Amino acid sequence: MSTMTAVRAEGLTKFYGARRGLEDLDLEIERGEVFGYLGPNGAGKTTTIRLLLGLLRPTRGRVAVLGGSPDDPAVRARIGYLPGELRLEGRERADRYLAHLGEMRGGVSRERVRELADRLEADLSVRMGRLSRGNKQKIGLIQAFMHDPDLIILDEPTNGLDPLVQQEVHAMVRRVRTAGGTVLMSSHVLAEVEQVADRVGIVRAGRLVAVEDVGALRERAVRRVELHFDAPVPEDAFRDLPGVRDLKVEGTGLRCTIDGRPDALIKAAARFTVVHMVSADPDLEEIFLTYYGEEEARHHAAADA
Amino acid sequence: MPPLTRKTLRDHRRPLLGWGAGMFALLVAYLSFYPSIEDDPVFYDQVLVAKYPGPLRSLVGMEDTLIGAGFLQMMIYHFIGCLLFVAFAASLGRRVIADAEEDGTLELTAVLPITRRRLLLERFAGVALTVLAFALATLALVLAGNAALDMGADPGRIVAAHTGLYLIGLFFGAFALAVGAATGSKAAAAYATALYGGGGFLLTTLGAHVAALSWLRPLSPFHYFLEPRPLYEGWPVGSYLVLLAATAVALLVAVPAFDRRDIGV
């Protein structure tokens, strides 16, 4: 195996009894990249992550992390992990808990913990049971980053954080990449993954349906657009524009869906006077449907052949 | 001491104080009752003791006299002592894996750079040391009571009996930990321990009167503590080694079962 591979999964499959958690995952994450793992809740993101950490035993398939087995303590020493459902020991003070985890990881300096705590504005002097959800999440982030691991696995890291702290977390992720580290980060929010990830894997119903560069994904993203003009516009002016679907013109209003670049629509609209424009963020579900639809189509094509 | 064991001991401070305070209050209450028995031995020994039917005497651990060692045997080294040591140790054994797994805190421990075997054994060491602290504190109290109230029981045999309490507690601590480690379920660990502990106790006490059950009796851990009567006969080395071996077996079964399993599903 290439020493440049941080994560490699081959045919990785996990069933919980008869229920499918993940099926036939083939995935490679290179060292030094930020990999976004995108999918709706229950799609298999957490199952994948917990398999990579050796918390779950695969039903089939193989997994290698940092060139070794996730069961190897030497491999685990180089991983930082933030669980999706973080549970902390409520009676323990945050600073003592972090000191314990640091000691188990071969020693983490107080300064390092303090630095991270300052950056996230986390209060370490209280019992963790009394922390709010967002403040617990900060403790979880500190323990994931504090030993400067080669691979950081974050399961929905910005869940429950306010936007400023989210930005700080994104900055921390970028800093890890700059230092040569690898980050695997799951999310169900495309915008978040777009901001920090180099590549994105899309998982749906226990299967990885696509792996894309973030740029390509953005180009293919489906966007709903609404334009309002100062006077009624002819539908003909917008018909058959490349990338424009579901066109609906009613009086002075126009609604449509755009695949990828909005360029053609913008140029067509420029001939009229636009008074108002609404562009909804690319809808994750629609991106899934696009990929899923293609998968289905391929299956049908294969079946027909 | 490994950091995980140290952490486990720190986590056990609260339960240790709680159970210790309860046990302390109980022992003091029992011991304060002793002078009134001593004042009227005829009533207690001949009227009360003699009235009890045989099986009931076996169940509560009543000896022929309630003076001296007979008092300690019934009040501490039979029913109540066994119950408290087993319940305390089992609650800790359940706590370190099954409880931690169900409340989700095991997740961050299980990804630390240690094998699952070490995780299990280092936490068990924390259980063993906590129960040891409990045993030493209660032993000191019993020895002090024995001396202060002039009970006349042999201190060496009190130590032998107390060691037995510790070993029976340690076994059930390992048993609860093993069931928790194999299943990840608090309920399974609790029910299995209650079933084996309660069933074993009845088998050793009441079962002594049922000939048909005699072949089953070596399966009860209490067989190796109550039967040799260490408070009277001194150190039952062989029996205690059986208890230690059973503890080791529980851990030997727990390690591979824990290692193979999904955590937190």
Side-chain angles (χ1 to χ4, degrees), chain B residues 11-99:
Chain B
D11 293 342
H12 287 171
R13 247 179 350 203
R14 280 176 66 93
L16 179 62
L17 285 176
W19 283 81
M23 180 84 173
F24 194 85
L26 200 68
L27 287 183
V28 169
Y30 279 168
L31 292 172
S32 65
F33 188 56
Y34 183 71
S36 60
I37 294 179
E38 210 182 17
D39 283 348
D40 199 354
V42 177
F43 172 73
Y44 282 100
D45 283 356
Q46 288 167 19
V47 181
L48 192 70
V49 174
K51 264 190 181 169
Y52 267 74
L56 198 57
R57 286 178 57 171
S58 306
L59 185 69
V60 300
M62 192 178 277
E63 300 289 333
D64 293 335
T65 173
L66 287 179
I67 303 298
F71 178 82
L72 290 178
Q73 176 68 20
M74 175 166 163
M75 294 304 186
I76 296 159
Y77 292 108
H78 189 82
F79 187 65
I80 291 296
C82 280
L83 184 79
L84 283 172
F85 267 77
V86 167
F88 178 52
S91 76
L92 296 180
R94 192 193 76 175
R95 180 188 170 106
V96 290
I97 304 284
D99 288 22

Side-chain angles (χ1 to χ4, degrees), chain A:
Chain A
M1 171 186 306
S2 156
T3 52
M4 291 307 290
T5 308
V7 172
R8 171 177 288 186
E10 286 170 7
L12 193 59
T13 300
K14 180 67 189 177
F15 278 81
Y16 303 102
R19 190 167 59 85
R20 176 169 71 186
L22 187 72
E23 193 160 10
D24 281 328
L25 175 78
D26 292 308
L27 179 66
E28 264 189 48
I29 299 175
E30 300 303 316
R31 293 220 180 150
E33 81 171 323
V34 176
F35 190 88
Y37 203 43
L38 202 59
N41 293 325
K45 302 190 297 282
T46 297
T47 296
T48 308
I49 283 174
R50 299 184 81 243
L51 282 164
L52 296 180
L53 287 154
L55 291 166
L56 300 179
R57 303 304 188 200
T59 307
R60 286 198 300 278
R62 280 189 307 174
V63 58
V65 180
L66 298 171
S69 157
D71 281 337
D72 180 355
V75 168
R76 261 193 256 156
R78 296 162 59 206
I79 304 177
Y81 168 50
L82 174 72
E85 265 187 55
L86 178 67
R87 294 276 187 278
L88 300 169
E89 297 173 9
R91 294 197 184 283
E92 188 83 296
R93 273 173 50 145
D95 48 3
R96 300 200 66 176
Y97 185 60
L98 290 171
H100 165 68
L101 294 181
E103 189 183 12
M104 294 292 297
R105 291 192 173 281
V108 170
S109 73
R110 277 164 170 256
E111 291 70 41
R112 173 70 176 142
V113 172
R114 176 101 325 267
E115 178 207 332
L116 287 166
D118 287 345
R119 198 177 290 162
L120 293 167
E121 294 180 2
D123 183 359
L124 303 184
S125 65
V126 290
R127 285 183 173 188
M128 295 188 288
R130 302 173 68 177
L131 293 172
S132 69
R133 184 182 157 80
N135 284 320
K136 280 185 186 141
Q137 191 76 349
K138 292 176 186 174
I139 307 300
L141 285 159
I142 293 172
Q143 63 82 33
F145 281 83
M146 66 183 183
H147 51 296
D148 293 315
D150 296 333
L151 170 64
I152 297 189
I153 298 179
L154 307 170
D155 196 354
E156 309 251 356
T158 55
N159 232 347
L161 294 179
D162 64 59
L164 276 177
V165 185
Q166 289 189 16
Q167 292 305 319
E168 187 54 51
V169 173
H170 295 162
M172 283 160 66
V173 167
R174 286 190 208 101
R175 215 163 297 154
V176 169
R177 176 178 48 194
T178 308
T182 310
V183 180
L184 166 59
M185 173 173 150
S186 84
S187 178
H188 59 270
V189 186
L190 176 65
E192 166 164 50
V193 168
E194 253 186 321
Q195 277 187 51
V196 287
D198 305 306
R199 284 196 306 151
V200 178
I202 295 178
V203 63
R204 190 191 159 93
R207 284 179 173 278
L208 186 70
V209 293
V211 177
E212 286 273 5
D213 283 342
V214 164
L217 191 69
R218 199 179 290 137
E219 291 227 333
R220 298 179 58 171
V222 176
R223 221 175 286 258
R224 283 183 200 286
V225 176
E226 223 179 294
L227 292 168
H228 295 273
F229 303 93
D230 67 341
V233 289
E235 195 171 335
D236 285 351
F238 297 95
R239 199 169 286 149
D240 298 327
L241 290 175
V244 173
R245 289 195 279 121
D246 306 332
L247 180 70
K248 210 168 186 189
V249 179
E250 278 171 359
T252 61
L254 175 153
R255 261 183 291 168
C256 67
T257 305
I258 297 178
D259 293 321
R261 295 184 180 178
D263 187 60
L265 176 71
I266 298 293
K267 282 183 174 146
R271 284 183 277 154
F272 306 94
T273 307
V274 182
V275 295
H276 187 57
M277 173 172 170
V278 182
S279 170
D281 264 343
D283 182 3
L284 189 58
E285 193 57 29
E286 296 218 22
I287 296 175
F288 290 134
L289 285 173
T290 311
Y291 280 112
Y292 195 59
E294 282 174 13
E295 277 266 299
E296 293 278 85
R298 257 206 305 280
H299 280 294
H300 285 302
D304 291 343

